[in-house]
Amino acid sequence: FSCLNLAADCNAVLKALQPIFQEQGMTETVHNWEDHGYLATYIKKNGSFANLRIHPHGLVLVDLQSYNDNSKGREEVDQLLNKVEERMKELFHGSIKRVKRLPAILRGGVIDRYWPTADGRLVEYDIDEVVYDEDSPFQNIKILHSKQFGNILILSGDVNLAESDLAYTQAIMGSGKEDYTGKEVLILGGGDGGILYEIVKLKPKMVTMNALTSFNIDQMVIDGCKKYMRKTCGDVLDNLKGECYQVLIEDCIPVLKRYAKEGRMFDYVINDLTAVPISTSPEEDSTWEFLRLILDLSMKVLKQDGKYFTQGNCINLTDALTLYEEQLSRLYCPVEFSKETVCVPSYMELY
């Protein structure tokens, strides 16, 4: 797009750019609105097409779509856009405030490289391989390889964790400030095995990792991660029981209720089930209901001096994060809390 310092003579811009598209053998259709400028479409015999939108206030947009699966095709697109840019500069001399060319969005490829952030931005990853792609009874499970971040676990379209994301795991464990030696630890979720792997190194008395099948993880997540995310989980998922840990593949809510009834208590509860919801209507969103239930049940199995760690969400979701903090005042027992912001590499955002 080009953004001008002055109002655009729409007709002059159209006449200046027409020859560039006509040289490509593209047929032209022009729509003219008295106060809203021009829209010209150019179509090539091979199905490629361009939209030229000229706004009277000085904004000129060119969108080009083509099917190119080779470098020659991409070079032709670049050459056409170069000509458009050069012609605009000739036409308006020093009156162009800004020219911006965005990278091509690749659609319909075997590998999906585009994933939205929680606050509605589109991120393009450098994905070069589909490592694992299966549907369990509960969710779609993907593990994709990124040149920067290594293998990335994606559950039902949500980027969960990459091999690069030790910062996430360390933060949800207390950022190195906690002594887990000889302690009883309960992990809710954590199907990638990262938290379990890091805590086992710290010589706890016992770690119980409890999988919630309907919300977060299932056996197929564990199977995928233990094969393709070993930089994250090491060997702790090879067996569901170890010297100081056990992994339960069952709904954590009945288990938490049972622990509370039995009086079983933990020094630490780490909730890695689901992020703070984007929604800011907790009374209408079942995920908020679920979070409140997990919070209440977790407090019932936490020792008086115990600590509860959980993830928040993207730092830009200020309303949702504030609403979560408000939920903490509604627990059946008083609690104090603190928070920390970290950069999680594969999330491409502060969290």
Side-chain angles (χ1 to χ4, degrees):
F1 68 85
S2 296
C3 188
L4 310 180
N5 281 325
L6 41 76
D9 182 339
C10 297
N11 191 46
V13 174
L14 180 65
K15 287 184 176 179
L17 298 181
Q18 275 175 329
I20 297 173
F21 297 101
Q22 290 169 352
E23 288 169 6
Q24 302 291 318
M26 304 176 90
T27 59
E28 178 188 69
T29 304
V30 179
H31 303 272
N32 178 16
W33 301 276
E34 287 186 9
D35 299 322
H36 301 287
Y38 285 82
L39 170 64
T41 60
Y42 298 91
I43 302 175
K44 206 169 184 178
K45 288 182 179 179
N46 65 0
S48 299
F49 68 91
N51 291 324
L52 170 63
R53 184 71 172 94
I54 308 166
H55 295 269
H57 66 276
L59 180 63
V60 180
L61 304 172
V62 178
D63 294 316
L64 180 63
Q65 291 193 30
S66 63
Y67 179 76
N68 292 312
D69 57 357
N70 55 55
S71 58
K72 182 181 178 181
R74 290 191 288 272
E75 286 175 10
E76 290 175 355
V77 169
D78 283 337
Q79 289 170 6
L80 186 149
L81 293 175
N82 287 339
K83 289 179 180 179
V84 170
E85 187 174 327
E86 289 167 9
R87 188 69 188 96
M88 287 291 293
K89 288 177 179 178
E90 290 171 5
L91 185 64
F92 290 101
H93 304 291
S95 298
I96 296 181
K97 182 168 63 175
R98 182 161 37 116
V99 175
K100 182 80 171 182
R101 189 186 300 185
L102 300 177
I105 292 178
L106 306 178
R107 298 170 175 167
V110 175
I111 298 175
D112 186 0
R113 304 192 299 187
Y114 304 95
W115 300 92
T117 60
D119 58 341
R121 293 173 292 110
L122 186 64
V123 173
E124 179 177 0
Y125 287 83
D126 55 349
I127 303 296
D128 60 3
E129 183 184 357
V130 178
V131 176
Y132 182 84
D133 188 355
E134 297 289 343
D135 288 312
S136 80
F138 311 102
Q139 60 202 328
N140 173 258
I141 306 160
K142 283 185 176 68
I143 298 176
L144 307 179
H145 181 264
S146 156
K147 296 174 185 176
Q148 292 182 86
F149 308 123
N151 287 345
I152 305 175
L153 174 65
I154 299 173
L155 300 180
S156 296
D158 182 36
V159 174
N160 270 238
L161 197 76
E163 292 176 319
S164 62
D165 296 346
L166 182 60
Y168 173 95
T169 303
Q170 290 176 331
I172 205 169
M173 290 171 52
S175 296
K177 301 170 187 173
E178 304 300 321
D179 181 7
Y180 287 93
T181 306
K183 300 297 174 60
E184 291 271 2
V185 183
L186 176 62
I187 301 172
L188 305 176
D192 51 74
I195 299 171
L196 179 60
Y197 180 54
E198 295 301 323
I199 286 185
V200 164
K201 295 178 187 177
L202 303 178
K203 304 188 182 307
K205 180 179 180 181
M206 175 57 67
V207 183
T208 301
M209 188 171 99
N210 199 160
L212 179 74
T213 53
S214 59
F215 248 86
N216 181 265
I217 81 169
D218 52 42
Q219 184 64 53
M220 288 181 67
V221 174
I222 289 178
D223 292 342
C225 288
K226 73 180 180 183
K227 187 172 182 179
Y228 299 112
M229 297 282 292
R230 293 190 77 84
K231 289 182 181 178
T232 296
C233 66
D235 60 358
V236 295
L237 297 181
D238 291 351
N239 298 292
L240 297 183
K241 284 190 177 182
E243 184 179 338
C244 63
Y245 72 89
Q246 60 177 338
V247 178
L248 308 179
I249 309 297
E250 54 185 300
D251 192 325
C252 72
I253 291 176
V255 173
L256 281 169
K257 289 179 177 177
R258 185 174 73 242
Y259 288 165
K261 187 176 180 180
E262 294 171 351
R264 184 172 177 186
M265 306 294 280
F266 296 87
D267 298 286
Y268 293 95
V269 176
I270 301 177
N271 178 359
D272 194 35
L273 290 166
T274 185
V276 168
I278 297 172
S279 163
T280 53
S281 302
E283 304 309 323
E284 300 172 7
D285 192 310
S286 62
T287 311
W288 282 104
E289 245 175 66
F290 167 77
L291 278 182
R292 281 199 295 263
L293 176 60
I294 293 296
L295 270 167
D296 268 324
L297 290 173
S298 295
M299 295 304 108
K300 291 176 180 176
V301 300
L302 194 62
K303 292 181 180 178
Q304 185 69 27
D305 59 348
K307 291 186 179 180
Y308 174 91
F309 289 108
T310 190
Q311 58 176 306
N313 210 315
C314 164
I315 197 171
N316 286 343
L317 296 174
T318 53
D319 290 345
L321 292 169
T322 299
L323 190 55
Y324 177 79
E325 292 174 14
E326 289 174 4
Q327 309 307 305
L328 303 181
S329 64
R330 302 181 185 179
L331 294 171
Y332 77 93
C333 61
V335 297
E336 295 177 352
F337 72 92
S338 61
K339 53 189 175 182
E340 179 181 7
T341 300
V342 298
C343 180
V344 182
S346 77
Y347 291 8
M348 298 195 197
E349 61 189 4
L350 294 177
Y351 205 79

